[in-house]
Amino acid sequence: MLVPMIDTPVKQQNTAAFYGQAVASFAVALAATAIGIFQLEADPWVRAFLGIAVLYLVTSAFTLAKVIRDRQELGQKL
């Protein structure tokens, strides 16, 4: 007897530890980058430019992650 396969989506949940580690990792990386830019021996405008570039990169990464997640939830391929 053949049993029909039913496609049931698997709901993955992240643990609190995984969430905490992701937040801590992000905070450490952002703080280390900010300290590195602040300690850089360069003109203030160069440091300001690098700071703005890092902020742009961070917001772009969040946007990209959200778009990928939204498309995955809809079941579409990139």
Side-chain angles (χ1 to χ4, degrees):
M1 179 174 154
L2 294 173
V3 178
M5 294 184 66
I6 300 172
D7 292 332
T8 54
V10 177
K11 181 160 173 82
Q12 295 178 343
Q13 286 188 321
N14 295 330
T15 63
F18 180 79
Y19 179 76
Q21 182 181 3
V23 170
S25 176
F26 176 76
V28 168
L30 195 59
T33 304
I35 290 170
I37 290 172
F38 181 74
Q39 295 293 324
L40 188 65
E41 293 184 18
D43 292 335
W45 73 268
V46 173
R47 284 186 268 164
F49 177 80
L50 291 173
I52 294 295
V54 168
L55 290 176
Y56 181 60
L57 180 63
V58 168
T59 57
S60 297
F62 276 117
T63 302
L64 178 62
K66 182 185 180 314
V67 167
I68 290 172
R69 183 201 64 203
D70 291 347
R71 290 189 94 178
Q72 183 180 15
E73 286 177 354
L74 289 175
Q76 296 177 353
K77 291 185 179 182
L78 289 176

